[in-house]
């Protein structure tokens, strides 16, 4: 065992800056994934067969293939087909948004189904149109139910985001590898990266618990 | 006002309504009674299109309700056994929601009317509470105010007091009696026989998907014609 953290010290700010990149990446992916996931979940519970079929097939494909494969397809194949080079960060965001939308749509669908049937009936009996009913009555209640599950998805995404390093996006992981390569010492920077991911996940877990407790209080 | 002709409804192979015919005049108060599973709720739900019937027809003021949809629901209010208040909205918001969203009434106007309605159901002080902070009786009174806020011409009640603790039944029935006095047309599925006897103009007795008796309460409760009604009354009275 010969660990030498002294050599790592000058590179620490460089690696830590990756936190910002990773968080930005995860946040944008999650917001886009959430919006698209909501749309997909509405397709799934809706009456239009084609849309229902599409959303189910979509979910099945994105859950049934490796994330890294999806990302490489988007990063390498999209430019090959269209001639547009979208860059590592955007390709990563796009992949993660499309992928997490599949998971989130399942979460939201379950949340919508968990809302008491009587809510829909009461809204219908009052003559409230479908769209208004979904937006103002059903979804707000569904989202409250699914917040813990969404928080989990956030955490998963944060950890999984490390694979964007493969296509060269400068996240925590990639930066640790770069520092490792330039110092010929990988253990120390990777250990630091691991610590940073762990602390991020713990912070998100804690934030989730606080939020849950707040919500429980308002009931 | 409402004409029901040979109404039939099945869930899969289970025929729940086996040809119901009756008509209800404006201002009439109808009590619907009968054993559990006899199709009372389904009948009520067909009247405001929460269920679509298979055969027969329902006319509201001469018009087929299948062609009315949203327009119909504005005319028919419904109160459910389990209240179905919107838990994420305050009492006031529960009452103003549909007038604002459906009738496009301004917020201030809707609130003014809602506060009047809350006053008539005795809940002015609860306007800013959430449903979870109300007792069952209070919830049901809010639900009645919420339905009334749409200014319906008919009110349907599906066992409005069945989910309530005994001590809260009275306050809800009192609110309903006040509605009767105002001349509201009401169809009430209920197990409160005393209440039915007191306020109903007619009693519809349903059994096994059929309308077995359609009678004035004085006659129905004293002298039921059919054995099935007799057996039912013996059990519940
Ligand atoms: N949505 C439904 N799907 C299938 N069966 C139903 C449904 N609603 C009611 N039923 C059946 O219809 C019958 C009558 O139910 P209901 O109208 O609720 O009776 P009641 O209100 O008189 O107790 C019951 O056998 C019930 O199981
Ligand atoms: Mg019933």
């Amino acid at each position: 065992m010969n660990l030498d953290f002294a050599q790592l010290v000058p590179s620490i700010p460089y690696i830590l800056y990756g936190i910002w990149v990773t968080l930005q990446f995860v946040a944008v992916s999650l917001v886009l994934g959430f919006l698209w996931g909501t749309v997909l979940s509405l397709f799934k519970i809706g009456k239009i067969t084609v849309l229902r079929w599409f959303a189910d097939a979509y979910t099945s494909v994105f859950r049934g293939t490796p994330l890294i494969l999806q990302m490489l397809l988007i990063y390498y194949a999209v430019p090959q087909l269209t001639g547009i080079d979208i860059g590592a960060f955007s390709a990563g965001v796009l992949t993660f948004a499309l992928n997490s939308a599949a998971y989130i749509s399942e979460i939201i669908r379950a949340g919508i189904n968990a809302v008491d049937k009587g809510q829909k009936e009461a809204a219908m009996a009052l003559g409230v149109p479908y769209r208004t009913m979904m937006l103002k009555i059903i979804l707000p209640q569904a989202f409250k139910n699914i917040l813990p599950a969404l928080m989990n998805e956030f955490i998963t995404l944060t950890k999984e985001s490390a694979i964007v390093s493969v296509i060269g996006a400068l996240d925590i992981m990639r930066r640790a590898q770069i520092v490792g390569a330039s110092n010929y010492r990988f253990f120390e920077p990777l250990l630091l990266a691991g610590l940073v991911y762990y602390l991020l996940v713990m912070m998100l877990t804690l934030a989730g618990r606080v939020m849950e407790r707040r919500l429980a209080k308002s009931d | 006002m409402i004409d029901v002709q040979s109404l039939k409804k099945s869930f899969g192979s289970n025929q729940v309504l086996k040809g119901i015919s009756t008509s209800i005049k404006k201002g009439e108060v109808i009590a619907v009674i009968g054993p559990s599973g006899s199709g009372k709720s389904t009948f009520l739900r067909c009247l405001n299109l929460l269920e679509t019937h298979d055969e027969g027809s329902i006319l509201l003021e001469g018009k087929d309700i299948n062609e009315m949809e949203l327009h119909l629901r504005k005319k028919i209010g419904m109160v459910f056994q389990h209240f179905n208040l919107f838990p994420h909205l305050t009492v006031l918001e529960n009452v103003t929601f549909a007038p604002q969203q459906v009738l496009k009434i301004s917020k201030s106007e809707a609130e003014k009317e809602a506060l009047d309605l809350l006053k008539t159901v005795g809940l002015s002080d609860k306007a800013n509470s959430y449903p979870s902070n109300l007792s069952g009786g209070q919830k049901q009174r809010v639900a009645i105010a919420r339905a009334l806020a749409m200014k319906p011409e008919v009110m349907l009640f599906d066992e409005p007091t069945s989910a309530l603790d005994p001590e809260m039944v009275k306050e809800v029935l009192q609110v309903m009696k006040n509605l009767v006095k105002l001349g509201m047309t009401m169809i009430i599925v209920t197990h409160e026989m005393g209440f039915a006897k007191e306020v109903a103009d007619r009693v519809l007795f349903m059994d096994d998907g059929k309308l077995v008796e359609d009678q004035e309460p004085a006659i129905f409760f004293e002298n039921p014609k059919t054995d099935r009604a007799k057996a039912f009354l013996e059990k519940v009275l």
Side-chain angles (χ1 to χ4, degrees):
Chain A
M1 283 280 272
N2 62 334
L3 287 177
D4 180 5
F5 285 99
Q7 216 188 347
L8 180 66
V9 171
S11 310
I12 288 177
Y14 176 75
I15 294 178
L16 291 186
Y17 187 78
I19 297 175
W20 170 235
V21 177
T22 293
L23 281 180
Q24 225 177 354
F25 175 84
V26 173
V28 176
S29 303
L30 193 78
V31 169
L32 292 177
F34 179 75
L35 293 175
W36 180 220
T38 306
V39 173
L40 286 171
S41 71
L42 291 174
F43 286 177
K44 286 179 186 179
I45 61 157
K47 290 201 183 78
I48 305 169
T49 316
V50 184
L51 294 181
R52 219 167 45 215
W53 183 87
F54 166 77
D56 284 340
Y58 179 99
T59 303
S60 171
V61 168
F62 272 93
R63 293 210 296 192
T65 53
L67 180 58
I68 189 162
L69 177 105
Q70 295 164 16
M71 187 178 68
L72 293 180
L73 267 176
I74 288 175
Y75 184 60
Y76 292 116
V78 168
Q80 183 194 328
L81 287 181
T82 62
I84 304 165
D85 186 0
I86 54 174
F89 188 85
S90 311
V93 165
L94 191 60
T95 310
F96 274 73
L98 292 175
N99 181 277
S100 68
Y103 289 90
I104 290 175
S105 71
E106 280 300 296
I107 295 173
I108 296 177
R109 183 174 68 146
I112 290 173
N113 286 339
V115 174
D116 179 17
K117 241 178 37 254
Q119 293 292 305
K120 187 175 171 187
E121 299 195 337
M124 281 169 71
L126 288 164
V128 177
Y130 183 82
R131 214 187 122 84
T132 314
M133 172 181 83
M134 279 328 272
L135 285 176
K136 308 231 158 141
I137 303 292
I138 307 296
L139 285 177
Q141 293 182 58
F143 287 146
K144 203 169 155 180
N145 296 340
I146 63 178
L147 216 75
L150 276 182
M151 208 61 199
N152 264 337
E153 181 63 20
F154 196 174
I155 289 168
T156 307
L157 220 57
T158 305
K159 283 184 296 182
E160 298 279 298
S161 73
I163 70 163
V164 289
S165 60
V166 171
I167 55 174
L170 285 171
D171 69 333
I172 301 168
M173 187 69 189
R174 177 80 186 155
R175 283 163 191 262
Q177 286 172 320
I178 290 172
V179 170
S182 70
N183 291 351
Y184 305 107
R185 297 190 73 94
F186 283 96
F187 198 88
E188 295 86 349
L190 287 178
L191 202 65
L192 177 65
L195 183 70
V196 169
Y197 278 113
Y198 184 71
L199 289 177
L200 274 181
V201 166
M202 284 304 113
M203 262 153 48
L204 288 175
T205 308
L206 229 97
R209 290 219 185 107
V210 170
M211 219 146 53
E212 256 175 85
R213 228 171 294 142
R214 283 249 178 92
L215 280 178
K217 240 188 250 162
S218 77
D219 266 336
Chain B
M1 175 167 216
I2 300 177
D3 278 295
V4 182
Q5 275 300 325
S6 320
L7 185 68
K8 290 185 186 164
K9 167 77 184 172
S10 301
F11 293 108
S13 61
N14 179 16
Q15 191 171 41
V16 174
L17 298 180
K18 300 176 176 169
I20 305 274
S21 300
T22 187
S23 70
I24 293 144
K25 290 200 279 290
K26 196 170 172 57
E28 254 188 327
V29 177
I30 308 288
V32 182
I33 65 177
S36 160
S38 57
K40 305 181 299 292
S41 296
T42 306
F43 173 56
L44 225 56
R45 292 159 60 81
C46 282
L47 290 180
N48 75 344
L49 289 173
L50 284 181
E51 305 285 355
T52 47
H53 54 271
D54 305 328
E55 283 177 53
S57 67
I58 303 173
L59 305 182
L60 179 69
E61 288 164 343
K63 270 194 250 151
D64 193 325
I65 62 162
N66 280 335
E67 279 139 39
M68 298 172 73
E69 194 88 40
L70 283 182
H71 183 60
L72 166 89
R73 298 230 178 87
K74 286 182 220 165
K75 291 190 165 194
I76 300 189
M78 180 143 183
V79 173
F80 300 87
Q81 179 176 355
H82 295 287
F83 331 125
N84 300 349
L85 292 180
F86 305 131
H88 60 304
L89 303 181
T90 64
V91 165
L92 187 65
E93 288 164 346
N94 263 277
V95 180
T96 57
F97 182 79
Q100 284 187 79
Q101 297 291 335
V102 182
L103 303 178
K104 307 293 178 197
I105 289 174
S106 75
K107 187 171 179 213
S108 60
E109 181 70 7
E111 284 184 349
K112 198 170 134 267
E113 288 177 13
L115 287 170
D116 281 345
L117 280 168
L118 287 175
K119 201 164 155 196
T120 64
V121 300
L123 289 171
S124 299
D125 55 327
K126 298 289 183 192
N128 295 314
S129 305
Y130 281 89
S132 56
N133 296 322
L134 303 182
S135 71
Q138 291 171 331
K139 281 184 199 166
Q140 195 59 298
R141 285 186 280 151
V142 173
I144 293 172
R146 178 177 69 174
L148 289 174
M150 292 296 285
K151 304 199 172 71
E153 291 170 21
V154 184
M155 285 281 282
L156 310 177
F157 293 85
D158 192 357
E159 301 197 27
T161 58
S162 294
L164 298 180
D165 293 333
E167 71 270 20
M168 291 169 187
V169 170
K170 227 169 135 189
E171 64 191 53
V172 171
L173 293 183
Q174 189 53 51
V175 167
M176 292 170 66
K177 282 182 196 167
N178 293 343
L179 271 180
V180 173
K181 278 193 208 125
L182 292 173
M184 176 65 77
T185 311
M186 296 161 73
I187 306 176
I188 308 162
V189 175
T190 185
H191 291 299
E192 296 289 331
M193 295 305 151
F195 175 72
K197 211 187 254 181
E198 187 184 338
V199 305
D201 298 308
R202 269 161 56 207
V203 174
L204 307 188
F205 174 69
M206 286 181 65
D207 190 21
D208 192 27
K210 294 191 205 92
L211 184 52
V212 179
E213 295 206 27
D214 181 344
Q215 220 20 300
E216 280 174 39
I219 298 172
F220 176 78
F221 286 108
E222 299 311 319
N223 262 318
K225 274 184 299 197
T226 58
D227 290 340
R228 281 198 272 182
K230 269 180 210 153
F232 175 75
L233 286 175
E234 256 162 42
K235 244 187 269 168
V236 296
L237 286 181

